[in-house]
Amino acid sequence: MADEVSANPGARLRGIREQRGLSLHQVAVELHVSDFIIEALERGDYSVLGGAVFVRGHLRNYARALGVAETEVLSLYEQGQNKLAAPTLVTQHTGAVNPKAREWYMRAATGGVLLVLLVLAISWWQRRPEERAAPAADQVQTTPLPAAASTPMPTVADAAGGQSAGQQDAVRLSTPLAPAPVKVANVSHVQHEEHKQTAVPVPTPAPTRQVIAGAGDAASLTHAKFSLASASWIEVYDATGKRLYYDLAPEGDTLDLSGAGPLQVFLGNAPGVTIELNGAPFDVKAYSRADNTARFKLGAAGGTGN
């Protein structure tokens, strides 16, 4: 048990807290965090606290509240993180295929498939001129016009009452001649190219988180907009202690929060966050600490560091 306390910085802080007669809730109120954060720190469950930067910030604040040297607590945390993990056991199966042989089989199969595709592509390309020339011969079809009725040329003897030579010539000229066949092009094979339109992707704007309003009249609430240039842990409570936001906000996110002021704010990565208070820019740098965390209040009376 003594080894666990000496190796776990949270367990060490818990022992000092209990020696001083402080409850877990009292420390949470002092640090302006929830009891869940203090519980996770004391049992060494850092996975629920976000990245390592947030864990170091919580441990540093906890050590300050108890008057313990920050370097000592952070050193215990770093030693625990640098421990080598247990090696992963790998089960070897007998009779498995040799990796080199498997790689050779895969390359041979891939080469065979590529060769077949290449042969098919060459065959198709060579047949293209024949396919284009074949329909061309069928496109022009000879459509003969209907021939005139085969009526025998009237002779001098057939003309009523016997006709003179001039009248016979007139009969020959009045007989219609059969027209020559005309070639008509069949246009049923003409194809028209279709113009394809390329769809242009429309960029989707980044979504904005839903407004979370605290108790009170909307006109009297304090409105704060958080824009994330990089990921950061954010905690926001209103004047009544109600939690408005408590999570790891991702890069590019935007939060619109409203509540009864002043709002208590904690940032795990202050340089990556910009804030607008009631529509006006708010100076986060004024409250940023050396570890890039920041704790302050937002309200009608203005921002105050804590």
Side-chain angles (χ1 to χ4, degrees), residues 206-224:
T208 301
R209 297 291 184 90
Q210 182 180 5
V211 176
I212 305 174
D217 185 10
S220 63
L221 296 179
T222 298
H223 303 275

Side-chain angles (χ1 to χ4, degrees), residues 62-283:
Y62 197 171
R64 289 176 182 174
L66 297 179
V68 181
E70 303 173 13
T71 55
E72 179 181 354
V73 175
L74 294 179
S75 178
L76 291 176
Y77 169 73
E78 297 296 341
Q79 291 176 6
Q81 297 300 310
N82 293 332
K83 289 183 179 179
L84 295 178
T88 304
L89 299 179
V90 179
T91 304
Q92 295 183 354
H93 300 280
T94 59
V97 181
N98 189 345
K100 293 184 178 180
R102 182 187 296 110
E103 182 180 358
W104 186 87
Y105 293 149
M106 292 298 295
R107 291 183 177 180
T110 304
V113 172
L114 293 178
L115 180 60
V116 172
L117 294 177
L118 180 60
V119 172
L120 292 177
I122 294 176
S123 176
W124 174 80
W125 182 259
Q126 292 177 348
R127 289 168 51 189
R128 287 186 61 192
E130 299 177 359
E131 294 176 354
R132 291 196 301 265
D138 299 335
Q139 288 180 359
V140 179
Q141 299 179 355
T142 302
T143 305
L145 294 177
S150 55
T151 304
M153 292 290 292
T155 61
V156 177
D158 296 332
Q163 297 175 343
S164 63
Q167 291 175 341
Q168 293 178 4
D169 294 338
V171 172
R172 293 190 184 96
L173 293 177
S174 61
T175 303
L177 298 177
V182 180
K183 294 184 179 180
V184 179
N186 187 357
V187 296
S188 61
H189 297 284
V190 179
Q191 300 178 352
H192 300 277
E193 296 183 356
E194 298 181 355
H195 298 280
K196 299 181 180 179
Q197 298 181 352
T198 304
V200 180
V202 180
T204 304
T208 301
R209 297 291 184 90
Q210 182 180 5
V211 176
I212 305 174
D217 185 10
S220 63
L221 296 179
T222 298
H223 303 275
K225 181 178 180 182
F226 297 76
S227 300
L228 281 297
S230 58
S232 174
W233 180 270
I234 298 180
E235 299 178 18
V236 182
Y237 301 85
D238 66 1
T240 63
K242 179 180 179 181
R243 180 190 297 174
L244 301 183
Y245 190 83
Y246 183 86
D247 201 352
L248 176 63
E251 178 181 351
D253 202 358
T254 301
L255 306 175
D256 286 333
L257 305 178
S258 300
L263 305 181
Q264 298 183 10
V265 181
F266 172 76
L267 302 179
N269 182 18
V273 183
T274 57
I275 299 177
E276 293 183 8
L277 176 59
N278 296 326
F282 178 79
D283 187 10

